[in-house]
Amino acid sequence: MSGGDSARSLMEDDRLNSPNTSTVTVDVLGHRLQFSQDPNSRHHGTTVWDASMVFVKFLEKNRRRGRFSQSRLKGKRVVELGAGCGLAGFGMALLGCDVIATDQAEVLPLLTRNVKRNMSRIMQANPGSVGSIRVAELFWGNEDHVKAIAPPFDYIIGTDVVYSESLLEPLLRTIFDLSGPRTTILMCLEIRSTSVYEKMIHMWNINFETATIPRSKMDVKYQHPSIKVHVMTSKHRPTAGKEHSDESMLPEDGDDNATDDVENKHDDWENRRHGSEAARLLKNVKITTIS
């Protein structure tokens, strides 16, 4: 299978998640999880976006060895930004992390329902086998919300949280507020605008040591050229130990952190995918910025 064929294996005619369904079922790390979603709401956080599926399947593939293995992640404190329906946070919790899934107040009822339902099923099937996950409100830039969840964290994660240039600065500020010198940031993003993506990468390169997960470390089915997993650490991170230079942070030869062959494929792919109802929903989102 060629690299192009592998990338296209994410989907041929549709998204991983149909925006017409109210429940999404995903098998993750031996557990069948069910997430309620509401694609017809006016808030983008009530949909299970494809990037969250790509992220949990990346964790599933790399759970046995390397810096994202279960033995390395067990007991780590994790905060998820823009958790939405909660899928990405469950990926970390199933590897033994203690997760705080955060979002704006409007999303919390749906997120809380998904967390309670799935944790109940997991604990009934195999009690004590996973970490924990709880829900908290976090509006980016709100100092009281940040203090309430007691940073710093070992990991900060987010999936499909960047779709507008206006969100870049609030996201960066919030990451700084939640992190310490040993924090690792994991962001799985769908490139919806090449210009916004490139500005984001430029900001991250200035402030962090950054790397893009190579396609060879992604799930063969759950990947696409326009969905990227980025790993970031502090430029002042202590260098002692093997974890900082773990090979899973390094891109493959020929990979580019900024575009990775998106330029040639992005337009055609965008025309196909943004014709869906989910993309139309996204365009209608009212974005609130922080002054």
Side-chain angles (χ1 to χ4, degrees), residues 195-212:
S195 63
V196 171
Y197 179 74
E198 290 175 348
K199 289 176 182 178
M200 178 195 69
I201 292 296
H202 177 70
M203 292 173 65
W204 287 357
N205 284 338
I206 291 173
N207 292 282
F208 303 104
E209 300 290 346
T210 65
T212 303

Side-chain angles (χ1 to χ4, degrees), residues 2-11 215 221 223-225 265:
S2 68
D5 290 337
S6 175
R8 286 193 296 272
S9 66
L10 174 66
M11 69 192 75
R215 290 192 295 271
K221 176 182 178 182
Q223 62 168 273
H224 193 277
K265 300 178 181 178

Side-chain angles (χ1 to χ4, degrees), residues 93-110:
L94 288 172
L95 290 171
C97 297
D98 295 316
V99 179
I100 301 179
T102 71
D103 213 312
Q104 298 181 37
E106 298 88 341
V107 182
L108 295 189
L110 181 63

Side-chain angles (χ1 to χ4, degrees), residues 135-147:
V135 172
E137 181 181 2
L138 177 56
F139 189 86
W140 296 352
N142 186 304
E143 294 182 0
D144 291 335
H145 291 173
V146 169
K147 291 178 181 178

Side-chain angles (χ1 to χ4, degrees), residues 156-181:
I156 299 171
I157 68 171
T159 59
D160 216 354
V161 293
V162 175
Y163 45 84
S164 168
E165 186 176 347
S166 65
L167 298 176
L168 297 180
E169 192 277 334
L171 174 61
L172 181 63
R173 189 193 322 168
T174 302
I175 289 174
F176 278 135
D177 290 342
L178 294 170
S179 63

